[in-house]
Amino acid sequence: MKDELRKAMKQRIGSISGPVYLPVGILEECLQSNIRTLFAFLSHGHEIGTEPLIDNALARGITVAVPRVTGDDLAFYQISSSTGPFETGAFGIREPPRTANRLYPADPDSKRIRLEFPLTIVIPALAFSPQGDRLGRGAGFYDRFLSRFLNEHRDKRSQTTLVGACHSCQIVPTVPVESHDIPVDCLLTEKSCIVCV
């Protein structure tokens, strides 16, 4: 069932022409206006564009970090612009250079930056349900990251918002889930913000 839905969603988003971006600004019902840290992703292929959201957060003095693949896991490195400098990672996705400041997991050799809350994590997927369930690409990078991060910062869960970012056409009635899947708190599309229930 997951494979069939992945195939269908890849075809659906593959038909989107031209860049489509998330709305600029922090939407109060979705993203806490007082956030101190934003974990975002750098859009790839036909994914919804995150650049205006990143630039808006940076202009507001919010610390922004994006992922770099390290083995089977994601590490989040601080950036100062949505335009780079970046490197091309193993999957052809833009990544911050290894020399950037690593926010998560904490870098024991760097005392220059630390994770501050409230924190928002913007998460990509092939499909989301209105309940917040997500269908990733199948490699499990975000599943492992979210499980580890939320476990390490379980006392900060009320100050952590998980935001699914996608085109509105990627929201489907249901997504197959397993016991380890972690739902998002809300969905942000080019058209609206949906609080998941």
Side-chain angles (χ1 to χ4, degrees):
M1 174 118 178
K2 282 189 175 183
D3 289 341
E4 292 171 5
L5 184 55
R6 282 191 181 102
K7 183 177 179 182
M9 296 310 296
K10 285 178 182 177
Q11 290 176 341
R12 185 178 292 182
I13 63 174
S15 66
I16 296 171
S17 61
V20 180
Y21 298 99
L22 290 173
V24 173
I26 305 300
L27 301 178
E28 189 65 46
E29 73 259 36
C30 237
L31 307 179
Q32 296 181 41
S33 61
N34 63 336
I35 67 168
R36 305 287 300 157
T37 307
L38 174 68
F39 282 4
F41 63 91
L42 296 170
S43 308
H44 177 70
H46 293 280
E47 287 179 330
I48 189 95
T50 57
E51 291 84 355
L53 187 68
I54 289 171
D55 288 335
N56 179 266
L58 289 168
R60 295 178 55 172
I62 296 167
T63 300
V64 178
V66 296
R68 179 182 176 93
V69 174
T70 56
D72 290 333
D73 296 307
L74 295 178
F76 281 77
Y77 289 77
Q78 185 176 11
I79 61 170
S80 57
S81 170
S82 66
T83 59
F86 299 122
E87 300 174 353
T88 301
F91 299 96
I93 300 171
R94 293 171 297 156
E95 296 182 338
R98 194 182 309 273
T99 55
N101 292 324
R102 191 175 76 199
L103 245 63
Y104 183 84
D107 186 347
D109 298 326
S110 175
K111 304 296 182 201
R112 291 176 288 176
I113 52 173
R114 62 183 252 266
L115 212 51
E116 292 188 70
F117 293 81
L119 179 146
T120 294
I121 303 173
V122 181
I123 304 161
L126 284 173
F128 289 97
S129 75
Q131 296 77 35
D133 297 320
R134 62 179 290 274
L135 177 72
R137 294 189 176 270
F141 285 103
Y142 272 90
D143 294 324
R144 288 187 293 276
F145 156 66
L146 289 171
S147 177
R148 178 179 176 184
F149 184 90
L150 295 176
N151 184 55
E152 289 178 8
H153 298 283
R154 60 173 85 59
D155 60 324
K156 300 285 189 182
R157 183 61 181 97
S158 65
Q159 296 184 63
T160 303
T161 306
L162 306 182
V163 179
C166 64
H167 298 282
S168 54
C169 67
Q170 291 176 262
I171 299 176
V172 296
T174 59
V175 170
V177 294
E178 297 176 42
S179 59
H180 63 269
D181 290 333
I182 298 169
V184 296
D185 301 312
C186 55
L187 301 175
L188 188 58
T189 76
E190 77 283 10
K191 294 179 179 178
S192 64
C193 180
I194 301 168
V195 177
C196 301
V197 292

